């Protein structure tokens, strides 16, 4: 992704700080979006080559059918899928669906795409996103922290359970943001993102869940998140309709989730890029997903560094003096 079409405004920085989420409309050019779209499609086509890539829809169907062979075959990568399904069943928590069993769209997810896909890596490290993170985090430097991609095809019934990204991340501090970058028009019907405004300021870290159920990840710590899906009116929820060229940015402690894709024709493809600022330190958390693409292990309290977390932006103080 090239240069920004416009700078991040002071009002947008204030909105991010207060609400924990901000919509940056029309900030990326069409060339950048087309490049990202090609990357997402290529990553989806090679999903089977990723140890952290999953077709969550096929796994939820295997869980419903009791297809233990399929679940075991999917357990060689980042997650013990068969063990997770057993854990969900023991918890008594249902899988979260928006559609009955006839919906046949796929919910595809992959983690650490930048480590295996060079064009996507260039977007994450050398694109426009680090400049946005520098503005919103008001940091002297920005480290790239990680990525995921999310694709919900038309007729995808799986919801994305409300959660906090912070409880999946082995870090602590305040200066971490997550950018959700769509390459398709996204509405509530196609699985638009929903955020609980101000939830990043509650000082609470909730247990990470398995994404398609409220069940916490085995061995994780923290209180369970309230059942937001069934009681949305009890929370200050905002949902955004977005277009290619827009970016949604949220604080990593902001609670968020999404519905399935109930449309008949519109796919929902997006990249999630994570960036950290000056005050972030490494902190190993029990139960967090394994990052199989990482090459080094930091110690608790150390700043992010090394090839896994490269510095991707530094503030130019010469411009401040001018």
């Amino acid at each position: 992704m090239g240069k920004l079409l416009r700078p991040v405004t002071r009002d947008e920085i204030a909105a991010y700080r207060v609400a924990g989420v901000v919509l940056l409309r029309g900030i990326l050019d069409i060339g950048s979006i087309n490049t990202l779209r090609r990357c997402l499609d290529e990553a989806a086509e090679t999903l089977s080559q990723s140890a952290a890539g999953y077709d969550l829809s096929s796994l939820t169907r295997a869980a419903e059918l009791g297809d233990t062979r399929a679940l075991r075959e999917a357990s060689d990568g980042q997650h013990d899928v068969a063990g997770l399904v057993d854990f969900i069943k023991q918890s008594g928590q249902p899988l979260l669906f928006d559609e009955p069993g006839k919906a046949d769209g796929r919910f595809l997810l992959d983690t650490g795409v930048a480590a295996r896909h060079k064009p996507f890596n260039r977007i994450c490290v050398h694109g426009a996103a680090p400049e946005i993170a520098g503005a919103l985090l008001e940091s002297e430097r920005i480290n790239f922290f990680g990525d995921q991609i999310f694709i919900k095809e038309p007729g995808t019934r799986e919801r994305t359970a409300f959660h906090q990204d912070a409880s999946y991340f082995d870090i602590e501090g305040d200066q971490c943001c997550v950018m959700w970058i769509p390459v398709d028009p996204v509405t509530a019907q196609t699985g638009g993102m929903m955020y609980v405004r101000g939830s990043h300021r509650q000082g609470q870290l909730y247990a990470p869940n398995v994404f398609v159920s409220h069940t916490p990840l085995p061995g994780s710590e923290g209180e369970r998140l309230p059942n937001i899906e069934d009681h949305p009116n009890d929370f200050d929820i905002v949902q955004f309709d977005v277009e290619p060229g827009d970016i949604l940015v949220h604080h990593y402690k902001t609670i968020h989730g999404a519905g399935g894709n109930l449309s008949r024709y519109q796919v929902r493809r997006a990249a999630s890029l994570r960036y950290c600022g000056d005050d972030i330190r490494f902190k190993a958390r029990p139960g967090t997903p394994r990052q199989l693409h990482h090459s080094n292990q930091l110690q608790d309290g150390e700043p992010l560094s090394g090839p896994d977390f490269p510095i991707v932006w530094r503030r130019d103080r010469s411009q401040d003096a001018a």
Side-chain angles (χ1 to χ4, degrees):
M1 293 189 293
K3 294 183 179 180
L4 302 179
L5 289 179
R6 62 172 182 82
V8 178
T9 69
R10 297 305 303 179
D11 286 345
E12 288 169 335
I13 295 171
Y16 170 81
R17 186 183 304 139
V18 174
V21 61
V22 63
L23 170 57
L24 306 178
R25 287 205 180 276
I27 199 164
L28 293 181
D29 65 276
I30 189 63
S32 299
I33 293 302
N34 287 340
T35 300
L36 179 58
R37 185 182 293 113
R38 286 193 296 271
C39 290
L40 294 181
D41 289 344
E42 290 168 2
E45 291 168 2
T46 58
L47 193 71
S48 62
Q49 300 174 21
S50 171
Y54 295 97
D55 178 345
L56 295 182
S57 298
S58 70
L59 296 179
T60 59
R61 294 199 183 281
E64 289 178 309
L65 296 172
D67 187 347
T68 56
R69 178 179 178 180
L71 296 174
R72 285 198 302 269
E73 289 177 349
S75 298
D76 294 334
Q78 184 183 33
H79 296 285
D80 174 10
V81 173
L84 281 178
V85 170
D86 286 341
F87 194 68
I88 293 171
K89 291 179 179 179
Q90 294 171 15
S91 76
Q93 295 289 333
L95 297 171
L96 300 178
F97 298 134
D98 269 342
E99 282 277 299
K102 293 182 179 179
D104 58 1
R106 297 180 303 166
F107 181 10
L108 308 180
L109 177 152
D110 197 5
T111 302
V113 177
R116 69 180 184 90
H117 192 281
K118 290 183 178 179
F120 188 79
N121 181 279
R122 286 195 292 269
I123 289 173
C124 298
V125 174
H126 301 294
E131 182 180 348
I132 295 174
L136 291 175
L137 297 178
E138 300 180 287
S139 180
E140 294 299 308
R141 74 174 194 282
I142 296 296
N143 292 80
F144 175 60
F145 181 66
D147 68 86
Q148 285 185 304
I149 65 167
F150 301 98
I151 298 174
K152 290 188 177 182
E153 296 177 340
T156 295
R157 60 180 184 157
E158 286 81 11
R159 298 184 62 88
T160 305
F162 277 93
H163 62 281
Q164 279 178 314
D165 291 333
S167 54
Y168 299 81
F169 296 172
D170 287 323
I171 55 175
E172 62 181 354
D174 184 67
Q175 291 173 297
C176 178
C177 68
V178 179
M179 300 186 192
W180 198 84
I181 309 176
V183 298
D184 306 290
V186 182
T187 65
Q189 184 187 37
T190 60
M193 295 292 289
M194 296 176 286
Y195 301 87
V196 180
R197 283 184 287 206
S199 53
H200 66 304
R201 294 183 281 111
Q202 295 176 355
Q204 180 69 44
L205 202 62
Y206 294 98
N209 59 46
V210 298
F211 244 49
V212 290
S213 171
H214 293 142
T215 307
L217 286 173
S220 60
E221 296 179 345
E223 296 181 19
R224 289 197 180 190
L225 196 68
N227 185 348
I228 300 172
E229 283 84 358
D230 291 342
H231 304 281
N233 293 332
D234 294 342
F235 301 88
D236 184 11
I237 296 175
V238 59
Q239 184 269 321
F240 296 94
D241 290 352
V242 294
E243 296 287 337
D246 299 342
I247 298 182
L248 279 165
V249 191
H250 66 268
H251 192 283
Y252 81 131
K253 294 180 182 177
T254 299
I255 298 167
H256 59 286
N261 184 349
L262 304 184
S263 70
R264 296 180 62 184
Y265 306 110
Q266 181 62 64
V267 65
R268 192 210 76 167
R269 294 166 291 185
S272 174
L273 309 185
R274 296 83 186 260
Y275 297 94
C276 295
D278 303 324
D279 78 336
I280 294 297
R281 296 293 183 269
F282 184 84
K283 179 179 174 59
R285 298 186 185 280
T288 56
R290 294 183 298 158
Q291 302 302 311
L292 302 178
H293 59 286
H294 282 175
S295 57
N296 294 313
Q297 177 68 38
L298 296 177
Q299 300 299 311
D300 283 3
E302 290 184 337
L304 300 185
S305 63
D308 296 327
F309 310 115
I311 295 176
V312 293
W313 182 88
R314 291 183 186 274
R315 186 170 301 282
D316 186 353
R317 285 300 179 187
S318 65
Q319 294 182 357
D320 294 347

